[in-house]
Coordinates of all heavy atoms in Angstrom, one line a residue:
M291 N 8.3 1.9 5.8 CA 8.6 3.3 5.3 C 7.3 4.1 5.4 O 7.4 5.3 5.7 CB 9.0 3.3 3.8 CG 9.4 4.6 3.3 SD 10.1 4.6 1.7 CE 8.6 4.2 0.8
E320 N 6.3 -1.3 3.3 CA 7.8 -1.4 3.5 C 8.5 -0.8 2.3 O 8.1 -0.8 1.2 CB 8.2 -2.8 3.8 CG 7.5 -3.5 5.0 CD 8.0 -2.9 6.3 OE1 9.1 -2.3 6.3 OE2 7.2 -3.0 7.2
E321 N 9.7 -0.4 2.6 CA 10.6 0.1 1.5 C 10.9 -1.0 0.5 O 11.1 -2.2 0.9 CB 11.9 0.6 2.1 CG 12.8 1.3 1.1 CD 14.0 2.1 1.7 OE1 14.1 2.1 2.9 OE2 14.8 2.6 0.9
I327 N -3.2 -0.4 -5.7 CA -4.4 -0.1 -4.9 C -5.5 -0.1 -6.0 O -5.5 0.6 -7.0 CB -4.3 1.3 -4.3 CG1 -3.1 1.4 -3.3 CG2 -5.6 1.7 -3.6 CD1 -2.9 2.8 -2.8
G329 N -10.0 -0.7 -6.7 CA -11.3 -0.5 -6.2 C -12.2 0.2 -7.2 O -11.7 0.8 -8.2
K352 N -3.1 9.4 11.7 CA -1.7 9.7 11.8 C -1.0 9.1 10.5 O -1.3 8.0 10.1 CB -1.1 9.1 13.0 CG 0.4 9.3 13.2 CD 1.0 8.6 14.4 CE 0.5 9.1 15.7 NZ 1.2 8.5 16.9
E407 N 24.0 22.6 -15.7 CA 24.9 21.4 -16.0 C 24.4 20.2 -15.2 O 24.3 19.1 -15.7 CB 26.3 21.7 -15.7 CG 27.3 20.6 -16.0 CD 28.7 20.9 -15.7 OE1 29.0 22.1 -15.4 OE2 29.6 20.0 -15.7
Q408 N 24.1 20.4 -13.9 CA 23.6 19.3 -13.1 C 22.3 18.8 -13.6 O 22.0 17.6 -13.6 CB 23.5 19.7 -11.6 CG 24.8 19.9 -10.9 CD 24.6 20.5 -9.5 OE1 23.8 21.5 -9.3 NE2 25.3 20.0 -8.5
K438 N 5.2 9.7 -24.0 CA 4.9 10.7 -23.1 C 4.9 10.2 -21.7 O 5.4 10.8 -20.7 CB 3.5 11.3 -23.4 CG 3.5 12.2 -24.6 CD 2.0 12.7 -24.9 CE 2.0 13.6 -26.1 NZ 0.6 14.0 -26.4
S522 N 5.9 -7.4 -20.9 CA 6.9 -7.7 -21.9 C 8.2 -7.0 -21.6 O 8.3 -5.8 -21.3 CB 6.4 -7.2 -23.3 OG 7.4 -7.2 -24.3

Side-chain angles (χ1 to χ4, degrees):
M291 186 176 70
E320 300 293 334
E321 187 168 0
I327 300 173
K352 182 186 291 188
E407 183 179 348
Q408 288 174 316
K438 288 178 181 178
S522 169

